[in-house]
Every structure is written in structure tokens, then in C-alpha cells.
Amino acid sequence: MILFAKLGLLVAVFLAALRFRLDLGTLLLGCTALIGVLFPVAPGLFAREVLGSVLDRPTLELVAIVFVTVLLGALMRESGALREMTQSLAQLIPDYRLIVAIPPALIGLLPMPAGALVSAPLVEEAAGARPITPEARTFINYWFRHLWEYVWPLYPGLLIGAAVLRVPVERMAIAQYPLTLVALAIG
């Protein structure tokens, strides 16, 4: 019971700090320290584990992926490629709602870490000066990037579900195909 109280306190502190818009890096560092206080471990072991996780290969790879993704978005914006892409799409499709939804849907065909950082600038550029709130832009980016989770075999959820149920991936995708259509209609 005490374990759940400690975890609850940790989550509450984290959510409260997010609510007050505390810097995320500072917040994560503070929560790491709070974990060290709430779950006492020898200081040397705690420091080794924290340092080890920061310098762990998957952590460094993820940081590199996010960095390169942000760099790609910045280069596309600075070079005008984002503007050209959305203008080309606007010449093909007259409805701006589709112009805003199509880029994240296309990016969603290739699930990747930090995919939102690739598609968000496209949504931003496609939305332009139209009266779309930042919240709606975030929703559009998220929703349409994840349309394919039910049917696209590159999504781990589909592969894991098929493995757990011991059915072929194709069968699972066909059975879930209506979910993609419903998600598209709702979006």
C-alpha cells in the first residue's frame, strides 16, 4: 500500500508541475531525485543507475533520432520545402481540411520515434492563417498520423496483437479495417 502511495505522490507531483508549465527537463530531473528520496537506494548505486541510463545506447539513439528529426523539420521550413509541399497539395485538392489532414496521414504510414515532429510543421504550414486553434492542429496531427494503427503491419500493436491471438497479421488487419474507416470518418 505504501508503494502505491509513493507512486501516487510521484505522479501527482509530476502532473502538478506540468500544470504549472515547469520546464520538462527540470521536471524530469526533479522527479528522478524524488524517486531517489521515495525509494531509498545507496547513493552510489542510484548515481550509477541514473548515469548508466542516460548513457545507455538506446537512450542516446533516441536522442539522436529526435535531434535529426527536429533538424529535418527546421531545414524543410527554412528551405521553403514545407510551403512548396502544401502549395502543391492545395493545387490538387481544393478543401483545406483535407490539405491539413493528408500530411500527417502520409507520415503515419511510416511509424517512427518523434514522428509528430515531422508532421507537425506540415500541419502548421497547411493550416496557414486559417482559423484552426493550436489544440485543433495538435489533434489533427495526432489523429491522422495514427489512422493506420489498426491495419498497417509496421505498427507494433498490430504485430503484437496478431502474435498474442495467434492469427496471421493479414487476418488481423482485415478484421480491424473498419476501425480505420471509423477513425477516418470521426477525424
Side-chain angles (χ1 to χ4, degrees), residues 27-148:
L27 173 58
L28 291 175
L29 189 61
C31 283
T32 301
L34 185 58
I35 288 171
V37 171
L38 292 175
F39 303 96
V41 177
L45 176 62
F46 184 74
R48 272 194 312 276
E49 290 298 320
V50 169
L51 187 60
S53 65
V54 167
L55 298 177
D56 194 32
R57 182 182 174 122
T59 302
L60 295 175
E61 287 174 353
L62 183 61
V63 168
I65 288 168
V66 170
F67 175 77
V68 170
T69 303
V70 169
L71 181 63
L72 175 66
L75 289 173
M76 289 174 65
R77 181 178 293 121
E78 290 299 318
S79 70
L82 290 178
R83 189 177 339 97
E84 288 177 28
M85 290 167 62
T86 55
Q87 287 173 349
S88 296
L89 196 55
Q91 289 174 355
L92 294 172
I93 302 167
D95 189 347
Y96 81 91
R97 295 172 299 178
L98 290 174
I99 296 168
V100 175
I102 287 173
L106 291 175
I107 298 294
L109 289 171
L110 186 61
M112 66 182 109
L117 296 176
V118 174
S119 58
L122 286 167
V123 170
E124 187 73 25
E125 185 68 37
R130 293 182 178 88
I132 303 174
T133 65
E135 294 82 6
R137 292 174 191 205
T138 301
F139 171 79
I140 290 165
N141 185 30
Y142 176 84
W143 191 268
F144 289 100
R145 257 185 325 105
H146 293 92
L147 283 176
W148 314 112

